[in-house]
Amino acid sequence: MAKQQETGSFDAMLYRQASEALDRRFPATRWLAPLRKHALERLAHSGFPTTRDEDWRYTNLKQVVLRSGEFLKRSTREKQSAARRVAKSELNRLLLPGLTDITLVFVDGVYQPELSSSPPPGSGMRIRTLATVDEQEREPLLETLGALAGIEGCQVTAFSTAFLTDGLVIDVEADAHVPAPVYAVFLSRTADISTHPRILMNLAANSSACLIEHHKSLHPCLSSSITEIRCADHARLKYFKLQQEHHSAFHLASQHISLADSAGMQAVHLDLGSALSRNGLNVKLNGDHAKARLHGLFLADASSHVDNHTRIDHQAPHTRSEETYRGVIADHGRGVFNGKIIVHRAAQKTNAQLTNANLLLSPGAEIDTKPELEIYADDVKCSHGSTVGRIDTNALFYLRTRGIPEQEARRFVIRAFGGEIVSRIPVPHLYRPVSDILAARLEHADSKPGPKQ
Amino acid sequence: MKLDIRNLHVSVGGTEILKGLSLEVGTGEVHAIMGPNGSGKSTLAHILAGRSGYEVTSGTVTYNGENLLEMEPEQRAWAGIFLGFQYPIEIPGVNNSYFLKAALNAKRKYLQQPEIDAIQFLKLVKEKARLMKMDQSFLNRGVNEGFSGGEKKRNEIFQMSVLEPTLAVLDETDSGLDIDALKTVAEGVNRLRSDDRAFLLITHYQRLLDYIQPDFVHVLADGRIVRTGGRELALDLEAQGYDWVTTGT
Ligand SMILES: Nc1ncnc2c1ncn2[C@@H]1O[C@H](COP(=O)(O)OP(=O)(O)OP(=O)(O)O)[C@@H](O)[C@H]1O
Ligand SMILES: [Mg+2]
């Protein structure tokens, strides 16, 4: 048994049963079955990653794998639609404010049309769910789904795909500029289920759009999501992901974004919840002058584990990337950051900067950070670095001499550290509410400080 | 206001820095402390503000009859003590005016006064900033973040003028100031001078004392007050250096 877990193998029978149940339970997406079957085979072949895989050295999926079978079983059971009937008033309390124009709500993995609103016709944006796409779209979708993510390479992607039941397909027409953010909400209200959120987005040439992903669960559960976004020439993408899973939940997510000539993206990732989370952000700067600006803030407290892996591939000349991630680790929390920048041979005149700064709030807090640069071109400007520090006692003393109590002074400093990332959220009206969420969360994380430093 | 320091001995990491320092500061008084580099002036200032890392091996410090050494830094602030830092700390991302409002309200809370309302506060800080000839934009920057040396010192006095302490300890606030800034800072101090306040000015330059006339001048050398006099002492020191007061003590 112990040996089995080490090899990352799972309860194949439960998985197979769950997979078969999907075909029956979700007839509208039965057309995805070949994709699912293929992914399940891949997974059966390779198993989940273990800490012996270089990419997973610090993140042990044992608990996730162990419980996943049972979660899958529960989520494919027929009778639990009642839990999905969520009142609008409850929903409003859970959602970010001011994003009602284009809202797509999934509850327990199931799309809720009556809680959602689509972009108006003529806006240049079209959104469908996998369950409602036209029949002639299915064939090409079977090809594109996973093309950027590549299930061959990653077992977690294979897992998510093996149980894919629904998702969003978002198309932005050429030259269309859609000011309202697309707000995709993935809410889990039932305990011990497994959901597999999926987004496929296409920005045609010279278009612009904003996507917000909000992952939230009220009970322990597993969520494994995949987002794939293609930006054609001169397209502009703004992206914000807020992860607020239950403190006992598991969250395994990845985003795969490709940018063509002169396309640009700005992304902010905020990891505030879950017992174990792993986010993989993969950006491919495929076209000349493509650029990406990535910001992230992750928080681990209690005994939670938060892992951010980012990878930027500079494939073309004159591409730029700028990445800043910050980690706040409290209690016995553990953070992992791995930021990889690969400058390929063709990517001359590339400019890449990566920094990761971490704040440890207690003696039991831990962080493993590793920025990596691989450069195969010779005319490039690259820099990377990471820092790990504790709260500056001089700053605390300064604030206290002005009459600010110690706890509050700590909060000031911690909030300022995280606030820098929040201020980058590409939707200005969200600064305030997200700052409040962050402040409350940080206050909670720092409310049980260890021995004074 | 009454500060009474008696025979204070303070060590850092086993090295004795203050070696039996005694000083009394009464209400309405302005005391200047001068002394060679490394003599313990900043150490004294830090001890009064409650910085950790120092060991008081003997002696007492009472403030308005209470044992100051037992109070936390914030409690000392509420009781009216203010420290102007020799090297003000940069705190990136903590908004200057937000921070000052929190400081003001913390004191008000301690005094069981209602919080200051936003409009009133804004009026107050704008007025004080104007008096300190500080650009409004400084209010919305991070505390001392990217401030020049002189701007940091000005910001200290600006904070002091908003917080209105009863005992202000200013550690070399005049160092690094150009002549106009020095005047502005001196005006800031003079405006606050009153019968119910006191100042402890640590300085190397008698120049400051042209603008802020002290009641007493002390020489701190090797951890002790070795000489006390009036304004004229500062002039003598300027002319002759410290040797003539420190030798033979
Ligand atoms: N944390 C510390 N560890 C070791 N020595 C210290 C520490 N803090 C102060 N000292 C020493 O104590 C002595 C007094 O320092 P202090 O800063 O009080 O001097 P000062 O009179 O303010 O000097 P200056 O005029 O240069 O500002 C110095 O020799 C200094 O090196
Ligand atoms: Mg000093």
Side-chain angles (χ1 to χ4, degrees):
Chain A
M1 186 68 195
K3 180 142 188 303
Q4 260 193 15
Q5 284 163 21
E6 260 178 50
T7 58
S9 61
F10 48 87
D11 189 328
M13 188 150 84
L14 276 178
Y15 271 53
R16 206 176 49 245
Q17 285 168 355
S19 170
E20 281 159 11
L22 285 187
D23 295 348
R24 288 194 304 275
R25 263 209 57 204
F26 297 98
T29 49
R30 196 176 289 149
W31 61 277
L32 291 168
L35 188 69
R36 291 199 289 249
K37 296 264 146 41
H38 176 63
L40 191 57
E41 276 161 27
R42 290 296 319 167
L43 189 63
H45 178 73
S46 56
F48 279 90
T50 70
T51 50
R52 275 174 302 165
D53 293 289
E54 185 53 33
D55 250 8
W56 293 85
R57 237 175 95 189
Y58 300 110
T59 298
N60 193 335
L61 291 180
K62 198 165 119 183
Q63 283 305 317
V64 183
V65 177
L66 209 59
R67 303 205 58 192
S68 61
E70 161 209 340
F71 286 3
L72 285 168
K73 189 171 161 190
R74 186 164 289 106
S75 17
T76 46
R77 239 187 250 150
E78 310 279 335
K79 298 264 171 265
Q80 34 141 300
S81 49
R84 276 184 249 118
R85 244 176 269 132
V86 45
K88 224 165 180 142
S89 57
E90 184 198 335
L91 197 66
N92 287 339
R93 261 182 288 121
L94 301 171
L95 299 191
L96 293 171
L99 296 170
T100 47
D101 286 359
I102 310 174
T103 312
L104 296 309
V105 180
F106 289 77
V107 177
D108 292 349
V110 178
Y111 180 63
Q112 308 293 309
E114 67 286 359
L115 298 174
S116 303
S117 45
S118 295
S123 64
M125 179 186 274
R126 207 155 69 92
I127 303 182
R128 295 87 74 210
T129 59
L130 291 172
T132 57
V133 289
D134 294 340
E135 206 160 329
Q136 67 271 25
E137 278 197 274
R138 292 175 178 176
E139 199 67 32
L141 274 172
L142 285 173
E143 293 297 315
T144 23
L145 278 168
L148 273 181
I151 55 166
E152 311 302 324
C154 178
Q155 303 99 314
V156 172
T157 306
F159 169 71
S160 179
T161 307
F163 298 97
L164 171 62
T165 45
D166 205 354
L168 298 172
V169 181
I170 306 170
D171 286 308
V172 188
E173 281 168 25
D175 303 313
H177 300 282
V178 186
V182 176
Y183 183 33
V185 180
F186 301 96
L187 172 68
S188 286
R189 297 176 81 239
T190 305
D192 303 333
I193 57 166
S194 180
T195 58
H196 312 90
R198 188 95 184 194
I199 297 177
L200 187 63
M201 188 171 183
N202 236 316
L203 283 85
N206 198 32
S207 67
S208 68
C210 173
L211 173 64
I212 300 174
E213 272 186 51
H214 190 175
H215 297 260
K216 193 168 176 111
S217 47
L218 308 183
H219 300 281
C221 61
L222 165 60
S223 156
S224 75
S225 74
I226 298 173
T227 298
E228 294 168 287
I229 305 174
R230 279 182 184 74
C231 299
D233 294 355
H234 296 274
R236 289 265 174 281
L237 168 70
K238 291 176 177 179
Y239 177 86
F240 172 43
K241 176 173 179 247
L242 176 60
Q243 186 266 103
Q244 280 186 298
E245 303 280 11
H246 184 265
H247 59 79
S248 299
F250 306 124
H251 182 84
L252 307 174
S254 65
Q255 301 85 43
H256 310 266
I257 301 161
S258 72
L259 298 133
D261 285 359
S262 299
M265 70 172 291
Q266 277 171 266
V268 173
H269 279 74
L270 222 55
D271 274 304
L272 302 182
S274 82
L276 182 150
S277 73
R278 158 90 167 210
N279 195 84
L281 171 58
N282 304 282
V283 176
K284 286 197 160 63
L285 299 165
N286 289 338
D288 286 21
H289 293 98
K291 56 176 189 274
R293 195 191 292 153
L294 316 177
H295 283 88
L297 176 69
F298 53 90
L299 171 70
D301 66 344
S303 57
S304 71
H305 180 108
V306 52
D307 177 342
N308 272 276
H309 267 62
T310 67
R311 173 178 167 147
I312 304 174
D313 281 276
H314 288 263
Q315 314 259 30
H318 300 107
T319 46
R320 297 169 62 96
S321 68
E322 196 189 308
E323 176 174 349
T324 307
Y325 266 65
R326 290 189 169 184
V328 178
I329 321 290
D331 294 335
H332 292 278
R334 173 129 190 225
V336 178
F337 176 80
N338 184 291
K340 198 182 262 185
I341 295 175
I342 304 176
V343 181
H344 296 263
R345 279 260 299 278
Q348 299 295 359
K349 310 275 183 198
T350 281
N351 197 320
Q353 286 169 40
L354 162 64
T355 58
N356 168 232
N358 301 285
L359 190 58
L360 303 184
L361 299 184
S362 77
E366 244 187 283
I367 174 87
D368 291 290
T369 168
K370 188 171 165 199
E372 289 181 84
L373 266 178
E374 282 177 31
I375 304 178
Y376 303 101
D378 41 40
D379 186 11
V380 302
K381 249 199 197 142
C382 298
S383 69
H384 70 314
S386 65
T387 59
V388 179
R390 299 190 180 271
I391 292 193
D392 179 3
T393 50
N394 289 324
L396 281 188
F397 176 61
Y398 188 85
L399 294 170
R400 294 177 74 192
T401 61
R402 301 311 189 237
I404 296 172
E406 187 176 11
Q407 269 301 318
E408 199 181 336
R410 284 178 68 87
R411 242 176 270 151
F412 266 54
V413 175
I414 302 167
R415 220 186 289 163
F417 183 77
E420 160 65 19
I421 301 296
V422 171
S423 72
R424 304 301 180 126
I425 292 175
V427 184
H429 89 262
L430 290 180
Y431 300 160
R432 181 54 75 83
V434 176
S435 295
D436 290 347
I437 290 172
L438 180 69
R441 187 66 190 84
L442 290 174
E443 184 172 340
H444 176 79
D446 192 47
S447 61
K448 323 148 252 197
K452 282 192 189 166
Q453 304 145 20
Chain B
M1 199 306 305
K2 173 126 189 84
L3 175 73
D4 192 355
I5 306 172
R6 286 203 191 155
N7 191 30
L8 187 65
H9 289 256
V10 172
S11 301
V12 177
T15 310
E16 186 162 66
I17 293 167
L18 297 185
K19 304 170 179 175
L21 185 144
S22 296
L23 180 67
E24 273 182 57
V25 178
T27 195
E29 297 173 355
V30 174
H31 292 241
I33 295 186
M34 305 182 80
N37 292 133
S39 56
K41 302 181 298 295
S42 292
T43 304
L44 172 64
H46 289 151
I47 284 287
L48 293 176
R51 189 191 193 109
S52 60
Y54 297 96
E55 194 191 352
V56 176
T57 51
S58 68
T60 56
V61 181
T62 56
Y63 176 71
N64 295 336
E66 295 202 48
N67 181 354
L68 188 70
L69 298 176
E70 279 184 349
M71 293 159 73
E72 297 292 337
E74 54 269 35
Q75 292 173 319
R76 300 180 197 208
W78 302 336
I81 292 180
F82 178 89
L83 170 61
F85 283 64
Q86 182 176 358
Y87 304 109
I89 312 292
E90 293 199 23
I91 315 179
V94 175
N95 178 283
N96 218 2
S97 96
Y98 182 77
F99 138 77
L100 205 51
K101 190 170 164 198
L104 198 61
N105 279 331
K107 184 171 177 177
R108 284 176 159 242
K109 189 174 167 190
Y110 168 80
L111 297 172
Q112 300 189 326
Q113 292 169 353
E115 287 201 350
I116 187 164
D117 79 79
I119 295 166
Q120 217 185 326
F121 175 76
L122 201 67
K123 235 179 94 186
L124 176 73
V125 289
K126 277 190 173 165
E127 169 64 8
K128 301 291 185 188
R130 191 183 60 78
L131 288 172
M132 287 312 298
K133 302 191 169 68
M134 245 172 70
D135 194 274
Q136 302 271 326
S137 66
F138 283 86
L139 297 173
N140 289 318
R141 280 167 64 176
V143 177
N144 295 323
E145 189 178 356
F147 285 27
S148 77
E151 288 164 352
K152 283 180 185 168
K153 297 297 179 71
R154 224 187 267 238
N155 193 25
E156 295 290 280
I157 300 303
F158 163 67
Q159 291 176 32
M160 179 184 80
S161 63
V162 172
L163 296 172
E164 303 189 324
T166 27
L167 171 64
V169 181
L170 304 180
D171 190 357
E172 292 199 28
T173 303
D174 55 329
S175 297
L177 292 183
D178 65 43
I179 192 72
D180 293 332
L182 183 73
K183 279 187 198 157
T184 312
V185 161
E187 280 164 17
V189 171
N190 287 329
R191 253 194 310 275
L192 266 194
R193 259 182 107 152
S194 74
D195 286 347
D196 46 14
R197 297 208 168 89
F199 290 85
L200 207 55
L201 306 175
I202 296 171
T203 181
H204 284 298
Y205 307 105
Q206 88 85 30
R207 190 181 63 162
L208 176 73
L209 308 180
D210 287 341
Y211 298 103
I212 309 171
Q213 311 227 332
D215 300 301
F216 301 94
V217 174
H218 309 275
V219 178
L220 202 169
D222 195 24
R224 261 182 298 246
I225 303 286
V226 295
R227 189 86 160 217
T228 294
R231 277 194 65 205
E232 67 294 343
L233 179 55
L235 292 166
D236 293 343
L237 289 168
E238 182 101 332
Q240 304 178 47
Y242 290 113
D243 277 356
W244 66 279
V245 280
T246 54
T247 47
T249 57

